[in-house]
Amino acid sequence: MASSSYKYTQTLMGTEVSLILFEPDEIAAQTVFNSIKILEDKLTVNRPESEVMSINLAAGQHPVKVSPPVYSLIEQAVKVSLHFTDYFNLAIGPVVKLWKIGFKGYQVPNSEQIKQQLLLTNPRYIELDANTYSVFLKKAGMKIDLGAIAKGYIADVVKHILHQYHIYQAIINLGGNVLTLGHSPINDNGYWHVGLRKPFSHHNELAGIVKVKNKSIVTSGIYERFFMQNDILYHHIFNPLTGYPLNNELESVTIISNTSLEGDIYSTILYGLGVLKGSEYLKKNRHLSAIFLLKNKTIKLVNCDNFSFQLLDDEYEIV
Ligand code: AMP
Ligand code: MG
């Protein structure tokens, strides 16, 4: 049993990215960080230039050719958006940019402004051409936003890179999107112990510990990006139909899945579905597991065969 771990960290994608390995491997770690940087540079919409920004800036004018990974991610996001129209929409960009939640200049827009921007969020106006890898937003002002899936996609790419370096036991943490590789060499029975953050805690306190093997753990929560105004909390996960932050009983949803892309997609969708519809959905999709943290401080675990959960905070109760 290995006894030492080696942690590598960098600030990327506006968050702390860390990699834990069990043999030192500076070269693998650097390759991982460089690859994340390259992907972030292609996918971001928080800087003036990126492949996704080129698509957005050409909206209503012409198609833009992108690199194969960006094309493939957009293609998947379009599929999900057309299937889960009420909860997930990659074309939500104009609404995200109007509210600016988590950024300088955040505001509660008036309903007329929201209505105007909503007209620019129809994912059916995204035209894809698989032969040329090009993406065309057919209406001027449309904007793609991959914020709900980019980290998941990138975490899976990191896993692939680590495999190329023959690393099969590791933890990748992209600011809370956690992907565990293989079995843990340091814990009993090979389970990885991954902290689940207590919502709104100031010092990164934990609500509990999720124990998994070879799984991704992704959380969507209203405490990640929000502001308060007149005692109302406005957070960063939007109802694509209204253009307002989703208002339901949940503080957060954590998805345990095989790939991190899947985890990221479904954390956003399951947040929108809420605990009742979400649990129904999961009963028919048993390869996904979930931990719902509710505002009334109860916790609901669904499809527990893929993980176990140890509660740490006695403010919460598992029901
Ligand atoms: P996540 O934390 O994975 O749930 O993703 C939230 C991020 O995705 C937000 O910061 C927005 O950039 C974007 N977003 C917000 N609401 C939606 C939605 N309903 N569908 C797709 N992306 C969204
Ligand atoms: Mg997500």
Side-chain angles (χ1 to χ4, degrees):
M1 200 184 250
S3 54
S4 315
S5 62
Y6 302 84
K7 185 170 179 179
Y8 303 87
T9 59
Q10 261 190 34
T11 301
L12 295 165
M13 302 183 287
T15 186
E16 182 182 292
V17 170
S18 72
L19 186 63
I20 295 176
L21 307 178
F22 297 89
E23 302 276 346
D25 197 331
E26 187 68 44
I27 292 174
Q30 278 314 319
T31 307
V32 162
F33 292 134
N34 290 340
S35 306
I36 294 175
K37 234 166 117 23
I38 290 168
L39 285 171
E40 182 190 10
D41 287 347
K42 292 181 196 291
L43 297 170
T44 186
V45 289
N46 298 323
R47 295 190 210 142
E49 281 175 37
S50 72
E51 290 193 22
V52 176
M53 283 304 289
S54 306
I55 298 170
N56 291 350
L57 290 169
Q61 298 170 42
H62 57 83
V64 172
K65 189 173 159 34
V66 293
S67 58
V70 173
Y71 183 84
S72 144
L73 189 59
I74 291 174
E75 189 178 45
Q76 292 185 71
V78 167
K79 264 191 205 146
V80 176
S81 303
L82 295 178
H83 192 257
F84 289 97
T85 33
D86 294 359
Y87 305 104
F88 191 101
N89 185 359
L90 87 155
I92 195 91
V95 170
V96 174
K97 290 293 181 198
L98 177 64
W99 285 80
K100 297 194 187 72
I101 295 178
F103 295 89
K104 226 172 82 188
Y106 61 81
Q107 58 162 347
V108 182
N110 65 47
S111 57
E112 196 45 46
Q113 290 173 303
I114 293 175
K115 234 166 58 198
Q116 287 306 317
Q117 296 309 308
L118 271 181
L119 296 174
L120 303 171
T121 60
N122 190 339
R124 290 182 199 285
Y125 294 147
I126 302 175
E127 200 171 80
L128 298 175
D129 184 342
N131 294 318
T132 55
Y133 290 128
S134 59
V135 182
F136 180 32
L137 309 181
K138 293 205 267 185
K139 269 194 179 185
M142 284 182 75
K143 293 181 179 77
I144 286 177
D145 180 325
L146 299 173
I149 59 168
K151 279 192 200 163
Y153 167 73
I154 292 173
D156 291 334
V157 171
V158 171
K159 175 175 175 167
H160 187 70
I161 294 169
L162 292 176
H163 282 177
Q164 288 175 336
Y165 281 86
H166 305 289
I167 295 169
Y168 299 100
Q169 290 176 306
I171 297 192
I172 304 149
N173 187 342
L174 307 183
N177 267 46
V178 178
L179 183 59
T180 64
L181 268 62
H183 295 186
S184 164
I186 49 175
N187 291 324
D188 282 350
N189 305 322
Y191 280 91
W192 299 102
H193 294 185
V194 178
L196 180 62
R197 218 188 118 187
K198 177 177 177 167
F200 302 109
S201 70
H202 292 297
H203 304 288
N204 290 333
E205 290 139 58
L206 300 180
I209 292 176
V210 188
K211 298 181 183 174
V212 293
K213 285 181 190 168
N214 205 24
K215 295 277 177 198
S216 152
I217 302 175
V218 175
T219 299
S220 281
I222 59 175
Y223 56 86
E224 290 173 331
R225 281 185 189 164
F226 71 95
F227 68 91
M228 300 287 303
Q229 191 167 303
N230 299 330
D231 285 335
I232 300 174
L233 184 149
Y234 297 94
H235 63 84
H236 70 143
I237 309 169
F238 291 100
N239 179 336
L241 304 180
T242 65
Y244 282 84
L246 280 152
N247 184 12
N248 66 19
E249 71 287 359
L250 293 172
E251 286 184 332
S252 69
V253 183
T254 300
I255 299 294
I256 295 117
S257 57
N258 286 330
T259 71
S260 194
L261 178 60
E262 219 181 0
D264 212 356
I265 290 170
Y266 284 99
S267 67
T268 306
I269 292 171
L270 269 284
Y271 185 86
L273 281 167
V275 73
L276 287 178
K277 283 193 202 160
S279 302
E280 285 301 308
Y281 181 82
L282 292 165
K283 276 181 199 144
K284 293 184 218 130
N285 292 276
R286 301 195 67 90
H287 61 291
L288 299 172
S289 303
I291 304 172
F292 293 96
L293 265 64
L294 279 73
K295 289 173 182 162
N296 69 6
K297 306 296 170 202
T298 60
I299 297 181
K300 185 169 160 98
L301 310 173
V302 187
N303 293 345
C304 299
D305 26 359
N306 291 327
F307 73 103
S308 63
F309 180 70
Q310 182 188 348
L311 184 63
L312 292 181
D313 191 295
D314 56 16
E315 220 186 296
Y316 285 86
E317 181 193 4
I318 297 176
V319 293

